[in-house]
Amino acid sequence: MSDRPDEIRLREKGRKLELHYPSGDSASLSAEYLRVESPSAEVQGHSPDQAVLQLDKENVTILSLRPVGHYAICPTFSDGHDSGIFTFEYLYELGLTQDSRWAAYQEAVRAHRATASPLPACGLNPMETPHD
């Protein structure tokens, strides 16, 4: 089957990207899922050990889609991210592996939050002011 969709639509005010394929298959990918799986170097790094866990993307939406040649799209997300070029092959893979990728992402976020240190206190009592 071709991984090139014959229809691409934004739904739910940019919260979902729907892909329809000539075979009759389809995928509905959330903006959050696409944002955290962006193929950009900002997210994936230049090697697997440089990947950056994307946090707090629950409310992100897709503002627009820009075609890239005849092989990809580049979404602009509401948080300003616009450097991920999603090939049709990668989008197809994201659709096929959505459940396992999403579960792995959620587990990574849980693990990160369980081990993250709270921000250090500045040391001032709320009633005090710093002195020169």
Side-chain angles (χ1 to χ4, degrees), residues 117-129:
S117 302
L119 294 174
C122 66
L124 292 177
N125 179 314
M127 300 305 290
E128 296 177 357
T129 58

Side-chain angles (χ1 to χ4, degrees), residues 49-125:
D49 63 324
Q50 293 179 342
V52 178
L53 181 63
Q54 302 296 300
L55 300 170
D56 304 319
K57 302 300 178 186
E58 299 86 2
N59 297 315
V60 76
T61 60
I62 300 169
L63 301 176
S64 64
L65 296 172
R66 179 174 50 87
V68 178
H70 294 286
Y71 69 96
I73 57 172
C74 183
T76 298
F77 293 92
S78 58
D79 67 352
H81 181 68
D82 65 356
S83 60
I85 297 175
F86 289 77
T87 65
F88 296 136
E89 180 180 354
Y90 185 54
L91 286 167
Y92 187 73
E93 177 186 327
L94 287 175
L96 289 177
T97 59
Q98 185 170 6
D99 291 343
S100 61
R101 283 178 181 261
W102 188 247
Y105 167 72
Q106 289 181 316
E107 182 54 36
V109 169
R110 275 192 291 276
H112 170 79
R113 295 202 170 159
T115 61
S117 302
L119 294 174
C122 66
L124 292 177
N125 179 314

Side-chain angles (χ1 to χ4, degrees), residues 1-39:
M1 169 177 45
S2 169
D3 53 24
R4 182 184 167 91
D6 58 2
E7 185 178 359
I8 301 171
R9 290 192 183 264
L10 286 176
R11 299 280 188 205
E12 298 178 26
K13 298 181 180 178
R15 294 199 180 281
K16 296 273 185 190
L17 179 71
E18 285 187 358
L19 304 157
H20 297 274
Y21 297 92
S23 67
D25 289 339
S26 64
S28 180
L29 309 175
S30 74
E32 180 184 10
Y33 175 58
L34 291 168
R35 179 61 179 84
V36 302
E37 294 290 341
S38 174

